[in-house]
Amino acid sequence: MRIFVCIKVVPDPERASEITLDPQTKTVRREGIPLVINPMDKNALEAALQVRAQQGGEVTVVSMGPPSVEEVLRQSLALGADRVALLCDRCLAGADTLATARTLAAGIEKLGGADLVFCGAESADGGTAQVGPQVAALLGMAHAVYATAFSLRDGIAEVTVKTEDGEKVLQGGLPLLVTVSREINQPRGIRFSEIVKARKKPFNVFTAADLSLAETCIGEQGSPTRIAGIADAKMERRGEILEGEPEEAVAKLMTILRREGAI
Amino acid sequence: MIDFRFTEEQDMLRTAAREFAEEVIAPLVPQMEETDEMPEEILRGLGERDFLALGIAEEYGGVNLGHVAKMITIEEVSRVSVAVGMMLQVMHLGIEPIVAFGSPEQKKKYLPKLASGEHFATVGVTEATGGSDPTGIETTARLEGDNYILNGRKVFITNAHVAHVAVVLAKTDEKEFSAFILSKDMPGFRAGRWEHKVGMKGCDTGELIMEDCVVPKENMIGKPGDGLKVCMKAISEVGRAGMAAVGLGLIKACLEASTKFANERILYGKPISRLQGVQFKVADMYLDYNAGMLLSYRAAAMKDRGERCDVEMAMAKYYVTEAAVKAAKLATEIHGGYGVMVEYATQRYLRDAAVLNPSAGTGDIQRIVMARAALS
Ligand SMILES: Cc1cc2nc3c(=O)[nH]c(=O)nc-3n(C[C@H](O)[C@H](O)[C@H](O)COP(=O)(O)OP(=O)(O)OC[C@H]3O[C@@H](n4cnc5c(N)ncnc54)[C@H](O)[C@@H]3O)c2cc1C
Ligand SMILES: Cc1cc2nc3c(=O)[nH]c(=O)nc-3n(C[C@H](O)[C@H](O)[C@H](O)COP(=O)(O)OP(=O)(O)OC[C@H]3O[C@@H](n4cnc5c(N)ncnc54)[C@H](O)[C@@H]3O)c2cc1C
């Protein structure tokens, strides 16, 4: 079984309050904030490792990012992945979701193609939830999004997915791409013995040329999306002081609560 | 050349240990404070994640990442729970005499289960007659055929109840001290009283009792008379490293709690972190953490290179544990009245810090080691 996991390295979401936007370049200022594996991608990796434990095969991690993500990506080897491919090139910078998906799809093909691909449902920083489905489309596979359960028997996958008003159970054959939500599993922690084993596992870096990708379909150049503007969303609590005697104030409060549909 | 950086692998180890501490240990701290017992999940987790395998060779089921690695992981655990850090450090201390002085048969018999966390270890030296002077112990070991018969009582033993295996110091003659590997399945060997401390709630301290305990001859570590060397080498170079790591974690916790509180607490219309008096306290803690870290990791790196490092460990243990007491006091002060309320962690830090001085040799004993080196 050829199992792939797409992992994005993101600024630690627990320190999201320290992230600011640069209004000039319209990009995220992430200096000084530690990088981590996108939380849902840890669930994606866990799902892949569980399939491998049952069915055998190889788990390959692909990631597009700058050289600085290498140290964080190595954690995926210590968690149990068999190999990592980092797709890293200056000309990949500034990619939107489509250019990102093209690059990841090319990486997966370059490494021999996939029977099963796991992605996070959404990233903690960009959070568009588009990359998974786009990769599936480019690879010509079926996909299921926001999975909360996954099993594979006799080549047939059964996926439970969250929908707006409940959940659905889908069945289908391989190849298949699944994007997972946090509920799907409890990702394992790193065992120190796996850190030692990870020393011998391959960590390869591929450039755009290695992937035979034309500059016009990757990076900023290959990205049809333009960010027109950015704005801070201000969230404020609305406060209202009710004056008067307690009885009067309570009566006013009841009226307001009824009007707002709270009671 | 001096390179003060950790390797990428050591950084990953720190991340992994921190993750375990925050996800598994942190939610159980209130329970430990209340019950003074070590939760099963923590004991199991330490084994599963290979915390106990760090100092053991691969051929005996370990991962052999060395003393710096142990220090990193104990520091990270102690940042969240000094009690768990202390327990973990004494488990390593109990493993060390077998690793350093054990016979191949002893290693094969005991290390694999200690590496996996199926068994836990400790060291029993101290008796009521005085810990600073180990030659004052009264436990005896009398040779009878193929066995030694041990009689005596150890006090203040970390992991007395949770440990399955203990390295115990006993007198094989009036002036002859020997070390033995004891396990709880030996007749006449058991844990005694639970000793309750002011801090480190959840970390087990208690008595070990030997009553006509039958120990096979082959369980002696080294030969008769090697006991003081075996135990003191482990305590001075591994036990003190462990205490330094525990103290570092505690200082880090004090620093983090203090900066968070100082940035959030508003007085005179601004956070108290803008008051110079508060800044000076934070600066002192910050310096102590960094100075203590340099002393401790240098000593651990020497141990990894196989160099003698008892004096360096004495400095690290003394400096860091004293600094931890100071940091806990400063952190409590910065928190004002909140600092002594049970809802805030600072009062726990204060109580935990008080336990650091006597463990693995009092501060005075560390100063004797340093003075001897300085005057020689
Ligand atoms: C604030 C912000 C807003 C943005 N808005 C848009 C927008 O509206 N339209 C647009 O086209 N781009 C947008 N981008 C850019 C977008 O984030 C990048 O294109 C990014 O590379 C992928 O999109 P995502 O983070 O939204 O991924 P998502 O689609 O949310 O990520 C889902 C999963 O895809 C996989 N994945 C995503 N990126 C990678 C990667 N680099 N390597 C490996 N796996 C990966 C992971 O498994 C991840 O869990 C935005 C970026 C930011 C920071
Ligand atoms: C939490 C905890 C865990 C412990 N775990 C273990 C364990 O796992 N295994 C184990 O064997 N022991 C353990 N101990 C025991 C510890 O090693 C001893 O408490 C320590 O060595 C001091 O011995 P003591 O308590 O008998 O004090 P004493 O030796 O009686 O010391 C009393 C005072 O005299 C001072 N003093 C002694 N000698 C000198 C000197 N030469 N010059 C100046 N001052 C001196 C001391 O500094 C101290 O202030 C533990 C102790 C604690 C508190």
Side-chain angles (χ1 to χ4, degrees), chain A residues 152-208:
Chain A
L152 184 63
R153 242 167 254 115
D154 306 324
I156 302 295
E158 188 173 294
V159 194
T160 308
V161 298
K162 268 199 290 203
T163 65
E164 262 150 34
D165 38 29
E167 53 178 43
K168 264 191 311 206
V169 180
L170 308 169
Q171 284 190 339
L174 303 185
L176 178 67
L177 182 145
V178 180
T179 82
V180 306
S181 46
R182 306 279 328 242
E183 300 96 307
I184 192 167
N185 53 37
Q186 176 65 43
R188 69 194 64 190
I190 292 177
R191 294 189 54 178
F192 301 154
S193 52
E194 295 288 333
I195 294 180
V196 175
K197 283 188 202 148
R199 286 177 189 160
K200 297 206 183 77
K201 294 179 180 176
F203 187 107
N204 297 311
V205 181
F206 295 93
T207 62

Side-chain angles (χ1 to χ4, degrees), chain A residues 5-10 21 28 30 38 40-41 44 62-65 94-98 100 104 118-134 179 225 227:
Chain A
V5 184
C6 298
I7 289 187
K8 184 178 187 184
V9 175
V10 299
L21 294 169
V28 179
R30 40 184 75 158
N38 180 43
M40 281 188 188
D41 299 358
V62 282
S63 183
M64 182 184 88
D96 68 359
T97 61
L98 181 60
T100 302
L104 294 174
F118 287 102
C119 292
E122 55 192 70
S123 70
D125 56 350
T128 62
Q130 293 169 6
V131 171
Q134 286 173 332
T179 82
T225 314
I227 299 182

Side-chain angles (χ1 to χ4, degrees), chain B residues 125-140 151-155 169-171 173-177 228 232:
Chain B
V125 171
T126 306
E127 296 183 14
T129 49
S132 302
D133 173 18
T135 63
I137 63 164
E138 291 178 342
T139 296
T140 55
N151 279 289
R153 185 180 288 245
K154 302 287 176 182
V155 300
L169 187 69
K171 286 162 81 160
D173 208 338
E174 202 35 56
K175 288 251 166 325
E176 186 183 79
F177 299 87
L228 282 176
M232 296 327 285

Side-chain angles (χ1 to χ4, degrees), chain B residues 211-234:
Chain B
E211 282 168 333
D212 290 328
C213 171
V214 184
V215 183
K217 229 163 68 174
E218 62 268 20
N219 273 37
M220 182 185 283
I221 302 180
K223 36 180 217 317
D226 283 352
L228 282 176
K229 180 182 78 184
V230 167
C231 293
M232 296 327 285
K233 178 94 175 155

